[in-house]
């Protein structure tokens, strides 16, 4: 009887070990994603795989290091809590995570400045060491250097800007961007085309006319 009871445990441990090995070789795929809420090793692998791109995603939308760190932590917490409801037909793990990120960032924008009575939040800033802080600052600074581009993007309709950001800035495929935004791929392609056309027109209008002295030349 003791042997019979041990066999399922050994089988389960072996399956888990094989799963971790597969993740190390190929990344966290659709089959493993639903388990990140209950398997710390899978979550750590998923975190390491996605955190760099996710920090860039947040930094492009948030100009404060502490808040960017908080939101990144909240996004991963939300991923843990909803992982068991993930379905592959809704998109790749990365698209699914960015869908969560869009909701968290949008909610934060709406709630910014409001008092959150009785709520204890995970302070992502407290988890940062100096290297982490420097990396987030660098990403925020890099985003700030593209103010003209982002100002033009801000004038786009929200529905079109969202798809453009996911494809052009966050480097998602159109199908992944569609899944993250909750759209059909054909709708995402149409919005992306419109956004690129409007953005190009905005930047062309803002470009100095040839022969016109710039502010620096005139000073």
């Amino acid at each position: 009887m003791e042997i019979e009871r041990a066999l399922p445990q050994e089988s389960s441990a072996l399956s888990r070990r094989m799963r971790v090995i597969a993740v190390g070789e190929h990344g966290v795929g659709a089959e493993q994603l639903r388990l990140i809420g209950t398997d710390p090793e899978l979550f750590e692998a998923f975190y390491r795989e996605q955190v760099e791109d996710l920090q860039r995603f947040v930094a492009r939308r948030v100009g404060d290091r502490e808040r960017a760190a908080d939101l990144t932590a909240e996004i991963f917490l939300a991923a843990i809590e909803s992982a068991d409801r993930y379905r592959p037909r809704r998109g790749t793990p990365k698209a699914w995570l960015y869908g969560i990120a869009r909701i968290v960032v949008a909610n934060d924008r709406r709630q910014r400045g409001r008092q959150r009575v009785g709520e204890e939040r995970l302070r992502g800033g407290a988890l940062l060491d100096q290297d982490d802080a420097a990396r987030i600052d660098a990403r925020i600074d890099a985003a700030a250097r593209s103010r003209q581009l982002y100002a033009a993007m801000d004038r786009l309709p929200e529905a079109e800007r969202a798809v453009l950001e996911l494809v052009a800035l966050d480097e998602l495929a159109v199908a992944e961007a569609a899944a993250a935004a909750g759209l059909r791929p054909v709708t995402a392609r149409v919005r992306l085309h419109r956004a690129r056309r409007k953005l190009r027109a905005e930047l062309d209008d803002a470009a100095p006319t040839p022969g016109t002295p710039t502010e620096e030349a005139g000073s």
Side-chain angles (χ1 to χ4, degrees):
M1 293 295 294
E2 291 180 0
I3 294 176
E4 291 179 357
R5 284 196 297 269
L7 284 176
Q9 294 177 358
E10 291 176 2
S11 176
S12 175
L14 178 60
S15 298
R16 184 168 174 273
R17 185 57 187 160
M18 294 297 292
R19 195 162 58 226
V20 171
I21 292 173
V23 165
E25 293 178 351
H26 307 292
V28 178
E31 313 80 36
Q32 297 92 13
L33 184 62
R34 288 193 297 165
L35 302 174
I36 64 171
T38 56
D39 189 321
E41 288 186 84
L42 282 181
F43 172 72
E44 182 178 357
F46 182 69
Y47 176 87
R48 291 181 182 278
E49 185 180 336
Q50 302 291 344
V51 65
E52 293 289 327
D53 287 342
L54 186 64
Q55 284 181 343
R56 279 189 284 269
F57 175 98
V58 176
R60 276 191 280 266
R61 293 157 175 82
V62 177
D64 175 80
R65 178 212 300 168
E66 294 292 324
R67 205 163 121 256
D70 286 346
L71 290 177
T72 300
E74 287 186 23
I75 291 163
F76 278 112
L77 285 176
I80 289 174
E81 292 170 357
S82 59
D84 62 333
R85 299 191 296 275
Y86 168 75
R87 296 295 180 270
R89 69 175 184 276
R90 297 180 182 175
T92 64
K94 184 173 184 177
W96 172 81
L97 181 66
Y98 278 41
I100 293 174
R102 291 185 70 248
I103 293 171
V104 171
V105 171
N107 287 344
D108 181 76
R109 284 175 177 169
R110 286 193 292 268
Q111 295 173 357
R112 196 184 320 163
R114 298 177 185 173
Q115 184 71 28
R116 299 183 180 185
V117 179
E119 181 181 353
E120 292 185 8
R121 299 180 57 207
L122 173 64
R123 295 295 299 173
L127 304 177
L128 299 176
D129 60 24
Q130 290 184 343
D131 289 340
D132 292 328
R135 279 195 294 269
I136 291 179
D137 281 343
R139 285 167 190 147
I140 291 173
D141 290 343
R145 285 195 293 269
S146 300
R147 283 191 300 270
Q148 182 182 5
L149 174 61
Y150 291 126
M153 290 179 68
D154 283 342
R155 291 190 286 273
L156 295 174
E158 167 61 25
E160 295 172 4
R161 185 179 74 243
V163 176
L164 180 63
E165 287 178 345
L166 289 167
V167 173
L169 301 182
D170 301 309
E171 299 182 355
L172 268 64
V174 176
E176 289 180 318
L183 302 171
R184 293 183 303 159
V186 65
T187 304
R189 289 191 186 92
V190 170
R191 291 185 181 180
L192 178 62
H193 175 73
R194 289 175 179 169
R196 282 173 169 164
R197 185 182 62 202
K198 292 177 181 178
L199 184 62
R200 191 177 299 113
E202 285 270 2
L203 295 176
D204 287 346
D205 289 344
T209 304
T212 301
T214 63
E215 183 178 344
E216 183 178 346
S219 59

